[in-house]
Amino acid sequence: GIWEVRSGRRHFVFSKLMCWVALDRGLRLAEKRSFPADRSRWLKNRDRIYEEIMRRGWNRERQAFVQSFESLALDASNLIMPLVFFVSPSDPRMLKTLDAIFKPPREGGLTSDSLFYRYDPKNANDDFSVEEGSFNMGSFWVVEALTRAGRFDQKRLDTARLVFEQMHGYANHLGLYAEETGPRGEALGNFPQAFTHLALISAAFNLDRALDSR
């Protein structure tokens, strides 16, 4: 999985999603550039992965996409599903996943104000004993997922703008972010974190475009 959890092998939804992305983009490139490709085999396996994620990565009890097949744990990495065009940003399952993530940890969610944890270690079966902060990259994934959903729902676009503006308060005086933000607003982990800033740029670009077209 993306977070390198220490609880053994599992069928992580994010990893399956990246396999789908590889096959999907391979098919697109081959068609656009007339590259040689085993198109029927790639298409069959891409669709098989999609169906498996939809069947085993969606948890009816949680009403959300979860961290691994048949688990109950939420995971912020599933927010990239609409970003890589795996599902529509207005897909009911994606919207329900956003709603589940927006609940506070005490209610099974991942949010604390404008900050979002990458997953809940208690539900994710991870033996990482150190209490960690919220994951800044995940917060900007939330912004972009809300922005894309906001094309069909003004309230979600307003929430995306609010979360984005609140996140500005957690950058340092140079506008840089660490990997995580601690419970007192302190920078934790790698600093500056490149992945955080890539997510920031993508979220800012898409949010600005959505607001301009409103």
Side-chain angles (χ1 to χ4, degrees):
I2 184 175
W3 310 124
E4 301 176 351
V5 298
R6 291 143 288 272
S7 55
R9 293 184 176 183
R10 280 181 277 155
H11 290 282
F12 287 93
V13 171
F14 178 85
S15 298
K16 303 292 184 181
L17 176 64
M18 289 296 99
C19 291
W20 179 91
V21 169
L23 289 167
D24 181 72
R25 299 314 189 265
L27 284 162
R28 295 189 190 199
L29 284 170
E31 183 174 345
K32 185 175 182 179
R33 301 296 182 184
S34 299
F35 291 150
D38 190 346
R39 190 178 184 280
S40 61
R41 183 185 178 196
W42 293 4
L43 187 62
K44 177 182 178 181
N45 283 283
R46 183 200 67 175
D47 293 348
R48 182 173 59 84
I49 293 170
Y50 173 87
E51 292 169 2
E52 192 173 31
I53 290 175
M54 287 300 191
R55 187 177 73 255
R56 302 178 63 190
W58 168 260
N59 187 286
R60 291 185 178 182
E61 179 181 343
R62 295 300 309 269
Q63 287 291 289
F65 288 108
V66 288
Q67 186 176 70
S68 59
F69 289 171
E70 283 84 47
S71 76
L72 292 173
L74 297 178
D75 194 307
S77 65
N78 290 332
L79 290 168
I80 72 164
M81 285 182 172
L83 281 56
V84 298
F85 310 117
F86 179 79
V87 295
S88 166
S90 60
D91 186 297
R93 286 162 292 193
M94 197 65 236
L95 296 179
K96 287 181 180 179
T97 299
L98 268 169
D99 292 340
I101 286 174
F102 254 88
K103 294 179 181 179
R106 66 178 179 275
E107 297 178 17
L110 301 178
T111 182
S112 175
D113 193 20
S114 64
L115 301 174
F116 295 82
Y117 297 97
R118 54 183 180 171
Y119 60 86
D120 181 356
K122 295 178 182 178
N123 289 325
N125 191 28
D126 189 3
D127 64 1
F128 189 53
S129 58
V130 179
E131 184 176 353
E132 64 176 18
S134 60
F135 219 69
N136 293 325
M137 179 169 63
S139 295
F140 290 120
W141 282 344
V142 167
V143 171
E144 188 160 356
L146 284 169
T147 297
R148 292 172 185 257
R151 296 172 184 171
F152 313 95
D153 184 341
Q154 182 62 48
K155 184 178 179 181
R156 291 187 187 274
L157 183 59
D158 291 340
T159 302
R161 182 174 185 173
L162 176 62
V163 173
F164 188 78
E165 291 176 348
Q166 288 177 324
M167 278 300 295
H168 285 178
Y170 295 102
N172 73 352
H173 62 293
L174 297 175
L176 297 175
Y177 291 88
E179 184 176 11
E180 300 179 7
T181 297
R184 291 169 294 279
E186 70 273 28
L188 299 176
N190 297 315
F191 181 88
Q193 170 61 279
F195 288 132
T196 299
H197 294 88
L198 288 173
L200 162 63
I201 292 167
S202 184
F205 175 81
N206 284 282
L207 179 60
D208 180 66
R209 186 168 60 176
L211 291 172
D212 282 347
S213 64
R214 186 166 56 176

